[in-house]
């Protein structure tokens, strides 16, 4: 399941204590997505069409062949303001929140050293090429949504009842043991022990399974309110080189050093209406993820005449090494008159922090595109981009060979059942009026979720990104402004139960507006 654009459920995170049983396919997808459009404000404005357009610093991480079109050196910096508004419907209750952030989108320098008087110098048809270095923010992982509603069928605690009942060894004496709960510091070794110690689940009369909710069968209703908040990004330093053959053929290669930073805080409060024992409880989940990776790219641009350019590029998977740390804690408000004698000053408790390292191979990407130039008045360009989401792969070499094999096999199965390969389409144009440029673009991002997946929820996640901008360019500098808008749907399931009729999902309408600015100078 994908989280960020596609939130389904965090329930699997609560089971992180059995590492090789985890479903990390959602993490693989989330960390493999790229913001679109990306790069400079100019490239964002034309829909991210980098295949056949050269002489833009976005080529360093896009199509490095475009570096071959440079005849002088350039320095550029781009920044952007992102605003996200989410409207969530959970059990017929609507909740709307918004969030903004400011980010450095791109920082780049190109050394166009093999030139004289603005003209390329050739040797045997080739020039010595141009070298570029760039920092690029590939994706923005910030998000915020809230949900709330009156649930008359279940509580988050019910998911732990089902979880604890899957193991017949989870007796009350076992969950009370020192191996499972340290009463001095209020730390449990499993979510089951945590919920047991907080009086949210209760064993049967003989002290063993099956468990039930402590206050079952009453209350029958719980007012549920939650908030999900995340920060982070994937970014990359790229080193690229592009060469020029007789102003007809341009070839380029690049290597990238990628980084990943992601944090989320997920909070949910269940308030029991008329609860005899626990009036309400709040669960807090915290996840911190950091990663580093490498990749390579190559591309070409062919210019048969001054009217047409044809481009193609290949981006290898990024091979990430990732470390994550997970924490969960619970606090509760007790009914002081409860018949079970639960202490009214019941202290909060937490699960021992869980740290896990694993490796991710993101999908490969390949693009082809063409541009038609109308003299010096502008151009129209289009790209088709293949993304192999079905070929994402996960491993955990810190586990034993047997456990790593099981971890990889299980997650490969999840990826194969949940995701498919897609082709994204992009169209853009630029019109030049003297020193002023007007730009516009549309990007269609196909839905990578398989409709045959057991977890398919009926939401079409294909997206359209609309963008437009204006720029000013002189012989010594340029300044570009761009706006982009994206609306899409997603879903979030706070927890799941054996009977689908007993739990609910939040349907989320997302509206993302991005404003970006680029400044560049030639030297």
């Amino acid at each position: 399941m994908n989280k960020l654009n596609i939130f389904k459920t965090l329930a699997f995170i609560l089971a992180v204590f059995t590492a090789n049983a985890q479903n990390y396919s959602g993490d693989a997808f989330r960390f493999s997505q790229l913001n679109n459009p990306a790069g400079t404000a100019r490239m964002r404005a034309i829909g991210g069409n980098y295949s056949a357009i050269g002489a833009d610093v976005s080529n360093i991480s896009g199509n490095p062949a475009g570096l071959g079109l440079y005849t002088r050196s350039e320095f550029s910096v781009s920044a952007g303001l992102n605003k996200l508004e989410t409207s969530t419907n959970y059990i017929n209750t609507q909740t709307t929140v918004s969030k903004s952030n400011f980010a450095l989108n791109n920082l780049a320098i190109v050394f166009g050293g093999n030139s004289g008087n603005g003209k390329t110098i050739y040797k045997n048809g080739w020039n010595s090429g141009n070298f570029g270095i760039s920092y690029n923010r590939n994706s923005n992982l910030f998000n915020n949504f809230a949900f709330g509603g009156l649930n008359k069928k279940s509580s988050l605690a019910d998911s732990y009842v089902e979880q604890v009942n899957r193991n017949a060894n989870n007796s009350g004496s076992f969950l009370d043991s020192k191996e499972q709960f340290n009463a001095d510091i209020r730390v449990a070794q499993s979510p089951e022990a945590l919920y047991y110690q907080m009086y949210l689940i209760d064993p049967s009369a003989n002290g063993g399974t099956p468990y039930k909710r402590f206050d079952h069968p009453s209350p029958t209703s719980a007012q549920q309110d939650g908030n999900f908040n995340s920060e982070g990004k994937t970014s990359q330093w790229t080193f690229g080189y592009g060469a020029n053959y007789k102003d007809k053929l341009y070839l380029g290669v690049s290597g990238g050093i990628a980084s990943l930073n992601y944090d989320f805080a997920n909070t949910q409060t269940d308030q029991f209406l008329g609860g005899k024992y626990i009036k309400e409880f709040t669960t807090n989940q915290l996840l911190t993820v950091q990663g580093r990776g490498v990749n390579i790219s190559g591309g070409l641009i062919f210019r048969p005449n001054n009217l047409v350019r044809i481009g193609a590029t290949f981006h290898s998977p990024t091979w990430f090494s990732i470390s994550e740390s997970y924490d969960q804690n619970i606090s509760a408000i007790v009914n002081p008159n409860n018949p079970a004698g639960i202490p009214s000053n019941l202290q909060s408790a937490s699960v021992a922090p869980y740290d896990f390292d694993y490796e991710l191979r993101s999908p490969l990407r390949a693009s082809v595109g063409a541009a038609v130039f109308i003299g010096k008045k502008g151009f129209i360009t289009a790209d088709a981009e293949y993304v192999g989401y079905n070929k994402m792969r996960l491993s955990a070499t810190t586990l034993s060979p047997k456990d790593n094999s099981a971890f990889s096999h299980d997650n490969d199965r999840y990826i194969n059942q949940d995701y498919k390969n897609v082709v994204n389409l992009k169209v853009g144009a630029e019109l030049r009026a003297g020193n002023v440029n007007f730009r516009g673009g549309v990007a269609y991002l196909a839905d990578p979720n398989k409709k045959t997946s057991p977890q398919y929820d009926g939401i079409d996640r294909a997206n359209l990104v609309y963008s437009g901008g204006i720029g000013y360019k002189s012989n010594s500098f340029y300044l570009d402004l761009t706006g982009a808008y994206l609306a899409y749907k997603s879903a979030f399931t706070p927890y799941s139960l054996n009977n689908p009729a007993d739990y609910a999902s939040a349907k989320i309408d997302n509206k993302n507006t991005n404003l970006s600015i680029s400044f560049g100078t030639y030297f």
Side-chain angles (χ1 to χ4, degrees), residues 236-310:
Q236 180 171 307
W237 284 97
T238 308
F239 305 84
Y241 176 83
N244 174 345
Y245 182 75
K246 293 185 177 181
D247 288 330
K248 293 289 185 181
L249 178 65
Y250 306 86
L251 300 176
V253 294
S254 66
I257 302 174
S259 65
L260 159 66
N261 296 279
Y262 179 67
D263 301 276
F264 81 60
N266 183 52
T267 300
Q268 179 173 329
T269 296
D270 281 25
Q271 181 182 4
F272 298 128
L273 304 184
K276 294 181 180 179
Y277 305 96
I278 303 295
K279 295 176 66 175
E280 68 177 61
F281 74 98
T282 298
T283 299
N284 297 294
Q285 303 164 18
L286 304 172
L287 179 70
T288 298
V289 181
Q290 292 185 331
R292 296 292 182 268
V294 295
N295 56 59
I296 57 173
S297 301
L300 64 85
I301 295 176
F302 177 60
R303 184 166 69 173
N305 52 54
N306 291 332
L307 181 66
V308 177
R309 293 180 193 171
I310 301 169

Side-chain angles (χ1 to χ4, degrees), residues 223-245:
Q223 174 62 38
Q224 297 179 320
D225 295 283
N227 184 279
F228 181 96
N229 188 61
S230 69
E231 298 283 351
K233 67 181 185 296
T234 59
S235 59
Q236 180 171 307
W237 284 97
T238 308
F239 305 84
Y241 176 83
N244 174 345
Y245 182 75

Side-chain angles (χ1 to χ4, degrees), residues 10 26 110 121 130 208 253 260 269 275 302 304 320:
L10 295 175
V110 174
I121 300 173
N130 304 308
V253 294
L260 159 66
T269 296
F302 177 60
F320 276 110

